[in-house]
Amino acid sequence: MASLLLSTSPSHLYNISPRHRIPSLHSIPALKPFKRPNFSPVLSHPKLATHVVYHRTIAKSSSIGSRETEDPIPEESPLGEDSAAFQLSAQKLSSWVYFTVILGSVLFALNVLWIDPSTGFGTAFVDSISSISGSPEVTMLLLMAIFATVHSGLASLRDPGEKLIGKRAFRVLFAGISLPLAMSTVVYFINHRYDGTQLWKIQTVPGLHELVWLSSFVSFFFLYPSTFNLLEVAAVDEPKMHLWETGIMRITRHPQMVGQVIWCLAHTLWIGNTVAISASVGLILHHLFGVWNGDRRLAIRYGKSFEVIKKRTSVIPFAAILDGRQELPTDYYKEFLRLPYVAVTILTLGAYFAHPLMQSSSYNLHW
């Protein structure tokens, strides 16, 4: 067999005709020099940059026997998402129809199961908490503590909860428990906001009403970044844990905390009693815990990408801008000229003019 192979020409052995044989080196055309691909457009895309960095890190550390390493991430490269980005052409009419149906269903269920005294549990719940102490300040703090524990507790259990029952089901569970507790706390505050000990009364001071109104208006721009993804709030789209980076996030990494502090200070100044102070203390403590817990959860989810964004943003408003860690683009105002911020403006004005209706509805519940 060996002699047969040695005596057989390669062309006969492999049945290669002369015209199919490998050409000589002189007949091969010169190869063009390799050009390194430009990944800048990908890295500049706000929704892809984080994933590129993540997969690049995984790919480098996934070989057998290699230790986990990470590529250095340039401090100036965008890693987070473009907050409040909204493209009308990307919206589906069916999604917003589902959103409307879900919102209506949730409000109907909330009324039947919680608000309506004849069928709901809301009155019994508030009465049971009020019976613990005759003090409206203590009741206010207890309602806040129950809501904060449930809300932050479920948020901390989001990752294992989503793995257990799915992202949409966990969002429904989260909202179904948190919403009635939040409503009970708000209604109790409206009904009892003037029941405490009056510490100061300066509502007649010229310009104070305008100051409180303006502060409350500004606070809503910080309070509701959830309007960036309303379809996810209602679980129409699959809920995600977002790493926002632009817009209000350039001013503060925790806008809800800042907005809540502004709202609490404005309303405490206006009301001036112990109930307002107890409500403000509870709300601010809850949101300060949310600052720590939110950073912790984002660090677990996004790792190095979050650490980079954390370095170039701040919790205290404008701190990162003033010390040079955050550089505002020249057209920064355009990051606010978007539909979600328009929606916040309309809802804020609507809430202000609806104050009499909100107060009368709360009084009718007798919570």
Side-chain angles (χ1 to χ4, degrees):
M1 177 64 70
S3 61
L4 177 62
L5 291 175
L6 291 174
S7 62
T8 308
S9 65
S11 60
H12 175 73
L13 179 63
Y14 298 107
N15 195 26
I16 300 176
S17 63
R19 63 186 183 90
H20 288 129
R21 293 178 183 175
I22 299 175
S24 64
L25 293 177
H26 298 288
S27 61
I28 298 177
L31 297 177
K32 295 181 179 180
F34 174 75
K35 183 178 181 181
R36 184 180 180 86
N38 180 21
F39 291 105
S40 299
V42 177
L43 290 175
S44 64
H45 192 289
K47 291 189 177 181
L48 295 179
T50 301
H51 303 289
V52 170
V53 173
Y54 172 77
H55 289 296
R56 183 177 61 189
T57 302
I58 295 299
K60 188 170 182 177
S61 61
S62 60
S63 58
I64 298 176
S66 64
R67 64 182 180 88
E68 184 174 345
T69 58
E70 292 186 358
D71 281 350
I73 302 175
E75 294 291 327
E76 68 278 1
S77 62
L79 300 176
E81 297 180 61
D82 187 10
S83 62
F86 186 89
Q87 293 181 352
L88 189 60
S89 59
Q91 303 302 307
K92 295 180 179 179
L93 179 60
S94 59
S95 296
W96 290 102
V97 171
Y98 292 148
F99 173 82
T100 305
V101 171
I102 291 173
L103 179 62
S105 301
V106 168
L107 294 178
F108 176 79
L110 183 65
N111 180 66
V112 173
L113 299 176
W114 197 258
I115 299 174
D116 191 337
S118 61
T119 59
F121 298 95
T123 300
F125 169 74
V126 175
D127 288 346
S128 65
I129 302 301
S130 301
S131 65
I132 297 175
S133 172
S135 167
E137 294 88 349
V138 173
T139 302
M140 190 76 250
L141 286 173
L142 287 174
L143 289 171
M144 277 299 314
I146 294 171
F147 167 75
T149 301
V150 172
H151 188 269
S152 295
L154 286 174
S156 299
L157 295 173
R158 178 174 180 173
D159 285 344
E162 288 180 343
K163 292 179 181 178
L164 182 64
I165 63 175
K167 293 184 178 181
R168 285 186 170 89
F170 187 82
R171 175 56 58 88
V172 172
L173 175 67
F174 179 84
I177 299 177
S178 299
L179 189 58
L181 297 177
M183 183 176 184
S184 300
T185 307
V186 171
V187 170
Y188 186 88
F189 173 75
I190 293 175
N191 289 349
H192 297 271
R193 68 192 186 281
Y194 288 114
D195 289 353
T197 302
Q198 197 70 37
L199 302 177
W200 61 82
K201 194 174 182 64
I202 57 176
Q203 294 179 356
T204 57
V205 173
L208 182 63
H209 178 269
E210 289 74 15
L211 175 63
V212 171
W213 185 91
L214 182 61
S215 299
S216 300
F217 182 81
V218 171
S219 73
F220 274 73
F221 280 90
F222 289 88
L223 266 172
Y224 292 106
S226 58
T227 54
F228 297 161
N229 55 327
L230 277 178
L231 293 179
E232 292 180 28
V233 172
V236 176
D237 290 347
E238 186 177 73
K240 303 179 182 66
M241 186 184 294
H242 292 275
L243 186 63
W244 306 116
E245 187 177 10
T246 61
I248 202 74
M249 302 298 171
R250 297 184 188 273
I251 297 175
T252 171
R253 191 169 66 254
H254 290 280
Q256 283 186 287
M257 180 276 293
V258 173
Q260 192 65 76
V261 169
I262 295 173
W263 186 94
C264 287
L265 292 178
H267 283 73
T268 300
L269 180 65
W270 179 257
I271 297 173
N273 65 18
T274 51
V275 171
I277 291 177
S278 64
S280 295
V281 168
L283 285 168
I284 291 174
L285 287 177
H286 170 48
H287 282 78
L288 288 177
F289 174 80
V291 169
W292 171 82
N293 197 34
D295 279 357
R296 180 187 67 84
R297 293 167 58 216
L298 286 171
I300 293 173
R301 177 67 64 92
Y302 289 101
K304 180 66 176 179
S305 297
F306 171 71
E307 293 302 323
V308 173
I309 289 181
K310 185 178 179 180
K311 289 180 181 178
R312 60 192 186 205
T313 56
S314 62
V315 176
I316 300 175
F318 301 102
I321 299 172
L322 294 176
D323 62 22
R325 290 182 290 122
Q326 175 68 239
E327 184 177 351
L328 298 180
T330 55
D331 56 350
Y332 177 53
Y333 68 95
K334 292 183 179 179
E335 296 182 0
F336 291 91
L337 299 179
R338 294 172 173 178
L339 188 59
Y341 287 115
V342 175
V344 170
T345 302
I346 295 173
L347 291 174
T348 303
L349 294 174
Y352 174 76
F353 290 112
H355 264 56
L357 177 62
M358 294 166 58
Q359 292 170 6
S360 63
S361 299
S362 296
Y363 295 151
N364 290 334
L365 289 176
H366 304 291
W367 289 358

